[in-house]
Amino acid sequence: MNFQVLYKTSTDENSAEQTKRIKKLFTWFLILLLVIAHVAISLAQTNVNNTFQAKSEFVPVIKESTKFSDLPEIKDTVKRITNTKYGIVSNPLFPKYQVQNIDAAKMQNEPLTKLYRSLLKIGYGPIYNSPYGEFFISNLRSRDVSFGAHLKHYSSSSTLDKTGYAGFSDDIATIYGKKFYKKHTLSGDLNYTRNEVHYYGYDPSINIITDKNFTKQRYQLIEPKLVLQSHYTDSSKANHTIQAGFYNLQNLYREAENNINLKADADLFVNKEKLNIGFSTDYYNHKQSHDTLNDLIVSVAPSFEAHGKKWKGLVGVKGTLDNFKGKNRFYGYPQLNFEYNVYESMFIPYTGVTGGLIKNSLRSLSSENPFIDTSINYTNTNNRYKLFGGIKGNLSSKTSYDIKGSYSQMDSLYFYVLNYSGLNQMYNQFNVVYDNATVMNLSGQLKYQLKEKIHFIAKGNYYMYKTKSLTRAYHKPDYDITFSTIYNLRSKIILRADIYAIGKQWTQTQIITDGKAELTPKELNGLIDVNLEAEYRYTKMLSFFTRFNNIANQRYYRWERYPTQRFNFTVGLSFVPF
């Protein structure tokens, strides 16, 4: 059975192959027949003219092709990598406040305040019989000149407890004028002062004096002065100030002092730095009842200033020639100063060193202590050097301060002691003695001003003296404090207050024991003087005022044996005559 199946299968395969061969032969035969027929037809139509002509209005037109103008570009398949910067972009947590612009205000011409030519003040103090008068006069506004005069009188005629006659008189007369030029200002003054005092520091139960002129002392000063000052705005030019003056001072006891002085200061900018040159000369003629002394002082002080954004410095030297009593002495002093602005002018520390020759004259000594002896021993004080340092600044636009400490080495510093060896047995006049000393000083100052409404100033000093020969620094207080304030209430009520205090001081007094006189130091207590003034402005041309002095009613001594007045007051008015 298996053989029959295999046989049938082979028979079928042979018949299929034969069928495929027959189909191929038939296909090639048909192709050959078609080729022969095509060749025969072509040969048969060779000589036949089959040309046809067709007429038509259609005109074939080929439209113009659209051309692209793009140029071929070669694109680089390799891309260039740019430099990549890495960083942290910080943004504020809170955005900054955007300030809105404010349009500038337009200034309008404001009318000028009216000026008056004169002012008169008159008053009277009934307790110590104290008349007071003051007069001012000047020209009105002018671009070319300014001139005027000032007169003042204040006196008292009274006798204090357990002292002699303590009357005094102060008179001032001043005439001044200024002439304004394009680059200069010329000014001149003529001053006259007359101060009369009495040596009232004695016990009237022991020394009985009926003639008031016996204790009277009077100082008269005449002083003309002339000043020329430049106002160059060009830094390449040297600004200068030239001052020439003269004064004559006399008293009732044939003491006289004449002074001729000339001062010239100039400054010039070299690049951004400033060069200063100072020159001064003073000639003194001292006429005493028993002698005549001459003193010529010539000083030259060049210095150089430089500054940066926060610092400022000065370097210089001062040379002084002193021809006194026929002897020439030359002194040299350093001039150094440096300051640094730490924070927005609120905290400015500074330091430096300086020095100079101090002229002790009849004018300077009698202005401080009018009860000095008529025969003064003149010696100039040589401040060899003064080291200083401090802090200053502006706490606000209204408040400023200054705190400073200094150390000085001084030769021939002056001190006041009562004269117990003179012919005057009342012992109420002061001698001037000199000694070498070191002086340490701590000082401070505070200012506050709110427009014209409130003005406040307080300053104080603390001193430490170490003398070489004297036992004490006689009549040199340990400290002094000054407080002044002004309050303006709507320009109607003006209040002024002054407080002045000085610490304890030492004086030299005489003690008689068993018929022997001995000089010994004596301590004087400190003092506090409180003064108050109130002014009521009724109109612009009329006002009333009252002044209260020594409100605490204290009997204190600035000079030994010379007590001050107790509580007193003055009432008065001020008005514009024309």
Side-chain angles (χ1 to χ4, degrees):
M1 183 174 184
N2 292 335
F3 290 106
Q4 289 179 356
V5 175
L6 180 63
Y7 174 77
K8 188 177 182 178
T9 301
S10 63
T11 304
D12 293 336
E13 289 177 359
N14 292 331
S15 61
E17 287 179 0
Q18 289 178 1
T19 303
K20 287 180 180 181
R21 289 176 183 175
I22 294 171
K23 286 180 178 182
K24 284 182 180 183
L25 291 175
F26 182 74
T27 301
W28 282 109
F29 176 76
L30 289 177
I31 291 171
L32 181 60
L33 182 63
L34 290 173
V35 172
I36 294 171
H38 178 72
V39 173
I41 293 171
S42 298
L43 292 175
Q45 294 180 354
T46 302
N47 296 322
V48 180
N49 185 8
N50 295 326
T51 303
F52 295 94
Q53 186 176 2
K55 294 182 181 182
S56 175
E57 294 179 359
F58 173 74
V59 179
V61 178
I62 301 175
K63 294 182 179 181
E64 187 178 357
S65 63
T66 301
K67 299 180 180 179
F68 296 98
S69 60
D70 295 339
L71 298 177
E73 295 181 359
I74 300 176
K75 295 184 179 181
D76 193 355
T77 57
V78 179
K79 294 183 179 181
R80 184 176 180 180
I81 301 176
T82 58
N83 295 330
T84 304
K85 295 182 180 180
Y86 299 93
I88 300 175
V89 179
S90 59
N91 295 319
L93 182 61
F94 300 100
K96 293 183 178 180
Y97 176 73
Q98 300 294 330
V99 180
Q100 296 180 356
N101 295 329
I102 300 177
D103 296 334
K106 296 181 179 179
M107 300 297 294
Q108 297 181 355
N109 294 330
E110 297 182 358
L112 297 176
T113 57
K114 184 178 179 179
L115 298 181
Y116 300 94
R117 295 181 182 275
S118 60
L119 177 66
L120 178 63
K121 292 183 176 182
I122 55 176
Y124 180 72
I127 296 179
Y128 293 103
N129 188 23
S130 304
Y132 161 75
E134 197 166 5
F135 179 68
F136 302 87
I137 185 171
S138 65
N139 67 320
L140 300 180
R141 288 187 181 92
S142 175
R143 295 178 180 271
D144 301 324
V145 294
S146 173
F147 56 86
H150 174 215
L151 304 174
K152 180 181 179 181
H153 171 81
Y154 181 64
S155 62
S156 176
S157 57
S158 62
T159 301
L160 304 182
D161 296 338
K162 299 180 181 180
T163 62
Y165 178 72
F168 67 89
S169 175
D170 295 330
D171 299 294
I172 298 174
T174 301
I175 301 174
Y176 62 89
K178 287 185 178 181
K179 173 64 176 177
F180 303 103
Y181 298 95
K182 187 175 182 180
K183 297 295 183 180
H184 290 80
T185 299
L186 179 64
S187 59
D189 299 337
L190 178 59
N191 302 316
Y192 172 78
T193 60
R194 182 181 182 273
N195 305 109
E196 186 176 294
V197 296
H198 286 261
Y199 295 103
Y200 65 91
Y202 63 92
D203 189 349
S205 62
I206 299 176
N207 300 284
I208 301 175
I209 299 175
T210 58
D211 186 5
K212 297 178 181 179
N213 293 328
F214 183 78
T215 59
K216 184 170 65 175
Q217 175 64 283
R218 183 172 61 237
Y219 301 96
Q220 291 189 103
L221 174 72
I222 300 176
E223 182 182 22
K225 189 166 49 177
L226 197 65
V227 180
L228 177 65
Q229 185 177 8
S230 67
H231 307 287
Y232 294 123
T233 57
D234 188 355
S235 61
S236 62
K237 295 184 178 181
N239 273 309
H240 52 271
T241 301
I242 302 174
Q243 175 180 321
F246 165 81
Y247 74 77
N248 172 264
L249 176 64
Q250 298 182 6
N251 63 16
L252 289 179
Y253 297 92
R254 294 184 295 177
E255 286 277 346
E257 182 174 89
N258 297 288
N259 170 255
I260 302 174
N261 59 81
L262 175 65
K263 297 181 180 179
D265 296 311
D267 57 78
L268 176 67
F269 281 91
V270 180
N271 294 328
K272 294 184 179 181
E273 284 67 38
K274 187 178 180 182
L275 176 63
N276 304 313
I277 299 177
F279 172 81
S280 65
T281 177
D282 284 270
Y283 174 75
Y284 292 88
N285 174 255
H286 307 278
K287 292 183 178 180
Q288 298 177 310
S289 59
H290 60 279
D291 197 4
T292 299
L293 303 175
N294 297 320
D295 189 8
L296 176 63
I297 302 175
V298 180
S299 298
V300 179
S303 62
F304 184 76
E305 290 185 46
H307 63 88
K309 187 176 181 180
K310 287 191 174 183
W311 62 272
K312 183 189 300 182
L314 181 144
V315 178
V317 66
K318 183 177 182 180
T320 301
L321 176 64
D322 184 19
N323 186 310
F324 187 44
K325 297 181 180 180
K327 295 182 180 179
N328 292 324
R329 295 179 177 86
F330 180 79
Y331 305 95
Y333 308 99
Q335 304 290 323
L336 302 174
N337 194 357
F338 179 80
E339 63 181 49
Y340 185 80
N341 188 353
V342 176
Y343 180 72
E344 295 182 352
S345 298
M346 296 179 62
F347 186 78
I348 306 175
Y350 62 92
T351 184
V353 58
T354 184
L357 186 67
I358 302 172
K359 174 61 183 177
N360 297 317
S361 63
L362 175 63
R363 182 178 183 179
S364 64
L365 297 175
S366 62
S367 298
E368 182 179 17
N369 184 357
F371 310 110
I372 56 177
D373 200 322
T374 57
S375 56
I376 302 175
N377 179 24
Y378 292 105
T379 300
N380 296 331
T381 300
N382 178 24
N383 187 0
R384 296 168 60 184
Y385 61 87
K386 178 181 179 180
L387 300 172
F388 64 90
I391 302 171
K392 63 182 179 179
N394 298 316
L395 299 178
S396 66
S397 60
K398 307 176 186 65
T399 308
S400 62
Y401 70 95
D402 188 0
I403 302 173
K404 181 172 66 175
S406 66
Y407 175 84
S408 302
Q409 180 67 48
M410 311 187 77
D411 295 341
S412 301
L413 182 62
Y414 67 91
F415 303 92
Y416 298 106
V417 295
L418 283 173
N419 184 8
Y420 290 99
S421 60
L423 298 177
N424 185 358
Q425 298 298 316
M426 294 188 296
Y427 308 130
N428 59 348
Q429 297 182 10
F430 287 88
N431 260 343
V432 180
V433 296
Y434 302 90
D435 192 15
N436 297 343
T438 59
V439 183
M440 294 185 65
N441 172 234
L442 298 176
S443 64
Q445 181 172 289
L446 179 65
K447 290 183 180 180
Y448 175 82
Q449 184 170 358
L450 179 60
K451 298 181 180 179
E452 296 183 356
K453 186 176 182 180
I454 299 176
H455 179 77
F456 167 90
I457 181 172
K459 58 183 179 180
N461 292 278
Y462 178 75
Y463 303 95
M464 290 178 285
Y465 296 92
K466 184 178 181 182
T467 56
K468 182 178 180 181
S469 301
L470 296 177
T471 305
R472 302 286 184 176
Y474 298 119
H475 281 291
K476 299 291 185 182
D478 292 342
Y479 64 86
D480 61 75
I481 299 174
T482 302
F483 170 84
S484 300
T485 183
I486 299 175
Y487 179 71
N488 187 335
L489 182 59
R490 297 181 179 180
S491 297
K492 274 292 185 180
I493 299 177
I494 312 298
L495 300 177
R496 298 180 179 89
D498 297 302
I499 301 176
Y500 179 71
I502 64 174
K504 67 179 182 179
Q505 53 184 328
W506 292 88
T507 183
Q508 190 181 66
T509 187
Q510 179 177 266
I511 298 178
I512 299 177
T513 305
D514 298 332
K516 294 183 180 180
E518 182 181 1
L519 298 177
T520 182
K522 176 185 176 181
E523 185 180 49
L524 297 179
N525 295 328
L527 60 93
I528 299 178
D529 191 359
V530 181
N531 305 317
L532 180 64
E533 178 179 352
E535 179 183 0
Y536 173 68
R537 295 178 178 176
Y538 183 71
T539 64
K540 292 183 178 180
M541 302 180 67
L542 177 64
S543 63
F544 303 90
F545 67 88
T546 179
R547 299 171 183 169
F548 302 95
N549 301 320
N550 195 1
I551 296 178
N553 196 28
Q554 297 294 318
R555 180 184 175 95
Y556 54 79
Y557 294 81
R558 176 61 182 92
W559 310 105
E560 186 185 6
R561 299 192 179 187
Y562 285 90
T564 60
Q565 295 179 349
R566 292 180 182 269
F567 171 77
N568 62 91
F569 67 92
T570 302
V571 293
L573 59 89
S574 61
F575 63 95
V576 178
F578 52 88

